[in-house]
Amino acid sequence: MSPGPSLIRHYLQFKDLRAEEYAYVFERTREIKKRFKNYEKYQPLVDRTLAMIFEKASTRTRVSFEAGMYQMGGSVVHLTTGDSQFGRSEPVEDSARVISRMVDLVMIRTFEQKKIEDFAAHSRVPVINGLTNEFHPCQILADIFTFIEHRGEIHGKTVAWVGDGNNMANTWLQAAEILGFKVHVSTPGGYEVDPKVAGISDTGCYRVFKDPLEACRGAHLVTTDVWTSMGYEAESAARDKAFANWCVDDRMMAAARSDALFMHCLPAHRGDEVTASVIDGPQSAVWDEAENRMHVQKALMEYLLLGRIGG
Ligand code: CP
Ligand code: NVA
């Protein structure tokens, strides 16, 4: 049922797909979302199984992949560190060899990117990154689809990143390089993005600002994330101090374009990285952004498993 090894496409980083493939996946997302909204059954993945491996907590990623797979006619197996041999140091290569003989697709949320890369190298089936310390490609896929739905093309636009130089920031940089937009990045000292870690070759796709207000000036989209990502909890007190001025507030939104959107991958902490007035305000697209996780991932799973429909 699964393609041979040479045909396998993984989605481990945003740059694993090309710009024209994103155009196709977004077109499929629009179609799949329309069918969902019309209560039309669309089940191209009957008899396909997705294994989901979570080494960190999740609400959106779990629900969107699990609901999405069932809606497409398939089924899911849910594993966590605590209830599988993942938490008992079975070599990741062995887990990959075994799991990928029984399912058609694997989604993993884990710590180091290397772990998911190692898993993919020994997997017979496509592997999707559901978040690592370095990247969160499915989230940016949803964010960009949401931007396009609300405002049209993202090519040539400016995205302001306010906060940690983390997995989300790295993925925005990869997306900017591939899809041709600019990221204005403002982080506290010591939490900067590193183009090597982000895996970009064109440093012209982003610009660094000391002052978060300046990063937001003229932006089409303002976005942020938690001050302390999963896995970094021990640094939380130091981060609370360092990030105090990196809270997206009404002043920052006023510096952006008047039609600027606000996004946040969620979960959010009102009063820390964003004020309630912004995240619950008229420019916020966070609920559409969260819902779109499911629609884009359905299109992504369809693409990785079936290729281009009718083509
Ligand atoms: N945005 C996101 O990935 O949310 P979860 O951690 O709830 O999956
Ligand atoms: N940067 C956050 C994103 C959560 C969805 C984290 O890694 O915890």
Side-chain angles (χ1 to χ4, degrees):
M1 202 163 18
S2 306
S6 59
L7 297 174
I8 295 176
R9 293 287 301 275
H10 300 296
Y11 193 59
L12 306 180
Q13 305 190 26
F14 198 87
K15 64 183 177 187
D16 286 342
L17 296 186
R18 299 182 299 274
E20 53 96 12
E21 292 181 295
Y22 279 111
Y24 173 78
V25 169
F26 290 146
E27 184 192 311
R28 289 302 302 158
T29 303
R30 275 187 285 276
E31 175 63 25
I32 288 168
K33 182 172 180 177
K34 194 172 83 193
R35 290 189 191 197
F36 174 81
K37 295 290 179 188
N38 289 336
Y39 300 97
E40 251 180 70
K41 216 182 229 185
Y42 178 58
Q43 302 199 317
L45 301 184
V46 169
D47 290 338
R48 306 287 178 126
T49 305
L50 165 72
M52 305 191 295
I53 302 167
F54 285 97
E55 298 212 275
K56 291 176 178 172
S58 167
T59 296
R60 278 144 290 270
T61 303
R62 175 167 181 189
V63 176
S64 56
F65 270 106
E66 190 160 336
M69 193 59 181
Y70 282 127
Q71 287 162 20
M72 294 182 101
S75 55
V76 299
V77 176
H78 177 249
L79 295 168
T80 68
T81 310
D83 65 13
S84 68
Q85 302 292 4
F86 262 85
R88 299 183 64 251
S89 310
E90 179 167 9
V92 67
E93 297 81 358
D94 293 357
S95 301
R97 290 184 183 107
V98 171
I99 294 168
S100 71
R101 281 181 179 232
M102 302 179 193
V103 303
D104 301 278
L105 187 61
V106 180
M107 189 287 302
I108 307 181
R109 168 168 287 195
T110 188
F111 293 87
E112 294 77 26
Q113 180 72 13
K114 186 179 179 314
K115 193 161 182 182
I116 197 170
E117 304 272 355
D118 288 348
F119 189 104
H122 295 87
S123 172
R124 290 183 167 195
V125 301
V127 178
I128 297 174
N129 183 344
L131 181 146
T132 57
N133 289 350
E134 289 84 354
F135 301 113
H136 197 1
C138 292
Q139 183 67 55
I140 303 299
L141 191 63
D143 294 5
I144 291 174
F145 180 77
T146 307
F147 183 87
I148 295 169
E149 265 191 327
H150 284 261
R151 296 284 183 266
E153 271 318 303
I154 197 158
H155 184 92
K157 302 289 194 318
T158 300
V159 175
W161 176 264
V162 175
D164 193 12
N166 64 9
N167 44 11
M168 285 288 296
N170 290 336
T171 313
W172 271 115
L173 297 191
Q174 284 199 1
E177 184 166 44
I178 292 164
L179 300 179
F181 59 89
K182 258 233 153 59
V183 185
H184 285 182
V185 181
S186 180
T187 71
Y191 299 95
E192 295 87 354
V193 288
D194 176 344
K196 276 205 203 87
V197 176
I200 53 167
S201 48
D202 170 21
T203 49
C205 68
Y206 76 101
R207 210 178 134 194
V208 172
F209 292 80
K210 269 210 161 99
D211 181 351
L213 187 76
E214 290 309 314
C216 294
R217 208 170 285 292
H220 298 80
L221 167 62
V222 176
T223 184
T224 186
D225 188 8
V226 291
W227 290 343
T228 303
S229 286
M230 292 181 280
Y232 297 84
E233 290 79 2
E235 301 173 12
S236 164
R239 284 171 173 266
D240 284 355
K241 271 197 202 138
F243 283 82
N245 293 330
W246 276 262
C247 172
V248 177
D249 58 12
D250 294 319
R251 250 170 15 104
M252 291 190 200
M253 290 309 294
R257 283 170 58 102
S258 57
D259 65 349
L261 293 175
F262 172 77
M263 289 191 197
H264 188 312
C265 63
L266 307 175
H269 301 85
R270 289 168 177 77
D272 285 355
E273 73 273 8
V274 60
T275 60
S277 60
V278 170
I279 194 168
D280 300 319
Q283 286 166 281
S284 175
V286 297
W287 312 122
D288 288 342
E289 182 189 0
E291 177 191 326
N292 281 334
R293 284 291 301 279
M294 184 174 81
H295 305 305
V296 294
Q297 288 162 194
K298 286 167 80 175
L300 176 69
M301 292 192 286
E302 180 193 73
Y303 185 58
L304 294 179
L305 288 175
L306 306 180
R308 291 188 193 235
I309 301 296

